[in-house]
Amino acid sequence: MEGIESGRIRKVYLIGIGGIGMSALARYFQIQGMEVAGYDKTPTRLTDALSEEGITVVFDDNEGAIPEAFSESSATTHTMVIYTPAIPAANPQINFFRNAGFQVKKRSTVLGEITKSCFTIAVAGTHGKTTTSSMIAYLLRESGIECSAFLGGISVNYNSNLLTGGFHNGKKVMVVEADEYDRSFLTLYPDISVITSMDADHLDIYGNKEYMDESYRLFAMQLKPGGMLICRKGLPLNTSGMHKEYSASGDADYSATGIKILDHKYHFNWKNSRNEIRGLIAGIPGLHNVENAVAAIAVARKMGAGEEAIRKAVEGYRGVHRRFEYRINRPGCVYIDDYAHHPEEIRACIESVKALYPGGKITGIFQPHLYTRTRDFADGFA
């Protein structure tokens, strides 16, 4: 990356620092020894955590609120400014930095540059990508395969959205969540790509599902030479057999067999054309998470993870905060918190609860997420 590899960049300022992807970048650059600060609209648990870690966060978008160490004219040559596309174009801070000649980059561009020299495992999908990417990272690390990860949620096992690790076979392995918003994932050139789903979403950006599907097909074609594409069975990728498919049923390159529920836990076997790993117990509930595990195991096996390490890691994986997360779990009262923000995700959540607690009464409390998504999928949510 210009400036960073040469040591020119010593300070990083993030506009929208409280976002899950932006906060991971903030932590990454702080670990690299750089001075880090940023702006966000309102305080949250995430911005509180960043402040406790020594990162300055301001909540006034006026240019005068920018810490002087980042705004002074002498800082232009060694300061990089990163922004998220969710920030309005009229934001006073971003316009100050642009007009003053600072290096200003979009979050996805920076992530693409960080991963360029790494062995990159990228997970895309309108839903399932956060759980699958965090599960891949956990399986690899528990199998003794060093990796770093930029995650789209807070891992329960690590209590962070950023994992940093050493080298594996002479290369830094990076697991990243590939965000389809604003076609951001097209800055990535993975060695292994996973696509979990392609349901219509972000139609305020894409306009229609056909354009969104085209973007996913472009992402699928960005594999490095010799790379591997693993996608959920039935996705409209049209890649002429250049990929492997996975499914929670037996009819795919990678699949789950013998699925059953015992003591509110999913038990299953993982199978490909060559071998089978039997007696797996999912550490998190839901048939959709069994399917996520099938993809994660496929990646772990490709990376050389052993059967026994995988068996132990699948059961030990605790998921991501607010992804089918038990807040209360006692006889007669179970409260599950789930960030399901798409009709298909809500369907999967409800079906999983029904399967885990047959005959139980389900009360649902739904908080809409994004005006445009609620408008576009109102019938589906209903």
Side-chain angles (χ1 to χ4, degrees), residues 249-260:
S249 67
D251 186 21
D253 299 295
Y254 308 106
S255 60
T257 62
I259 300 172
K260 57 187 176 183

Side-chain angles (χ1 to χ4, degrees), residues 139 255-258 267-272 274-281 293-294 296-298 300-301 305-312 314:
L139 263 59
S255 60
T257 62
H267 295 239
F268 66 102
N269 308 316
W270 180 90
K271 184 180 179 183
N272 68 3
R274 296 185 303 280
N275 59 30
E276 186 176 27
I277 304 176
R278 301 184 62 84
L280 294 162
I281 302 172
V294 172
I297 294 168
R301 292 293 282 169
E307 289 188 16
E308 195 51 46
I310 285 174
R311 188 178 287 108
K312 184 178 178 182
V314 167

Side-chain angles (χ1 to χ4, degrees), residues 330-341:
R330 61 173 185 255
C333 181
V334 175
Y335 170 37
I336 297 166
D337 185 9
D338 197 298
Y339 181 63
H341 55 278

Side-chain angles (χ1 to χ4, degrees), residues 53-361:
E53 292 163 25
I55 295 172
T56 300
V57 182
V58 299
F59 302 100
D60 180 354
D61 66 0
N62 197 297
E63 66 181 72
I66 302 168
E68 187 177 348
F70 293 84
S71 62
E72 59 191 5
S73 58
S74 61
T76 57
T77 57
H78 57 262
T79 301
M80 180 171 62
V81 179
I82 306 171
Y83 71 97
T84 167
I87 293 294
N91 179 275
Q93 290 196 7
I94 198 168
N95 284 302
F96 163 78
F97 284 116
R98 280 178 172 150
N99 294 335
F102 282 79
Q103 185 181 158
V104 180
K105 297 194 174 190
K106 190 190 284 189
R107 181 189 72 88
S108 58
T109 301
V110 174
L111 187 60
E113 291 173 343
I114 289 172
T115 59
K116 190 162 52 177
S117 60
C118 301
F119 184 97
T120 302
I121 302 165
V123 184
T126 45
H127 45 84
K129 60 181 175 288
T130 300
T131 297
T132 305
S133 56
S134 64
M135 193 183 298
I136 289 169
Y138 184 75
L139 263 59
L140 292 180
R141 289 164 74 98
E142 291 299 298
S143 300
I145 299 170
E146 284 282 338
C147 73
S148 301
F150 286 93
L151 305 174
I154 304 298
S155 161
V156 175
N157 291 93
Y158 301 112
N159 197 34
S160 182
N161 55 348
L162 174 72
L163 308 179
T164 56
F167 289 76
H168 176 71
N169 290 339
K171 268 219 161 182
K172 185 172 274 293
V173 176
M174 188 73 75
V175 180
V176 298
E177 183 168 323
D179 188 4
E180 77 277 5
Y181 182 83
D182 197 31
R183 283 189 156 189
S184 292
F185 55 11
L186 297 184
T187 63
L188 300 170
Y189 293 87
D191 296 271
I192 299 176
S193 294
V194 179
I195 301 179
T196 62
S197 52
M198 290 169 56
D199 294 302
D201 200 5
H202 300 302
L203 296 185
D204 54 320
I205 298 294
Y206 287 104
N208 57 58
K209 188 176 187 302
E210 288 70 29
Y211 185 50
M212 191 198 79
D213 287 352
E214 179 196 347
S215 300
Y216 272 95
R217 285 191 281 269
L218 289 172
F219 170 74
M221 293 167 62
Q222 295 202 168
L223 282 172
K224 291 175 187 171
M228 181 180 189
L229 171 62
I230 302 170
C231 64
R232 186 170 175 263
K233 185 181 177 183
L235 297 183
L237 285 168
N238 305 329
T239 52
S240 305
M242 293 166 52
H243 61 276
K244 298 285 189 180
E245 292 186 324
Y246 70 93
S247 172
S249 67
D251 186 21
D253 299 295
Y254 308 106
S255 60
T257 62
I259 300 172
K260 57 187 176 183
I261 299 173
L262 296 172
D263 298 324
H264 305 308
K265 289 187 177 181
Y266 277 82
H267 295 239
F268 66 102
N269 308 316
W270 180 90
K271 184 180 179 183
N272 68 3
S273 60
R274 296 185 303 280
N275 59 30
E276 186 176 27
I277 304 176
R278 301 184 62 84
L280 294 162
I281 302 172
I284 55 175
L287 182 61
H288 58 297
N289 284 321
V290 171
E291 194 160 62
N292 292 336
V294 172
I297 294 168
V299 174
R301 292 293 282 169
K302 176 71 175 174
M303 296 295 292
E307 289 188 16
E308 195 51 46
I310 285 174
R311 188 178 287 108
K312 184 178 178 182
V314 167
E315 186 171 6
Y317 174 72
R318 290 292 172 262
V320 178
H321 286 301
R322 300 204 62 210
R323 267 66 170 189
F324 214 99
E325 181 181 9
Y326 281 98
R327 295 300 186 98
I328 299 172
N329 189 4
R330 61 173 185 255
C333 181
V334 175
Y335 170 37
I336 297 166
D337 185 9
D338 197 298
Y339 181 63
H341 55 278
H342 186 280
E344 289 305 311
E345 292 177 325
I346 293 175
R347 188 190 312 280
C349 179
I350 294 171
E351 287 177 352
S352 295
V353 173
K354 285 181 176 179
L356 289 165
Y357 303 96
K361 179 187 176 183

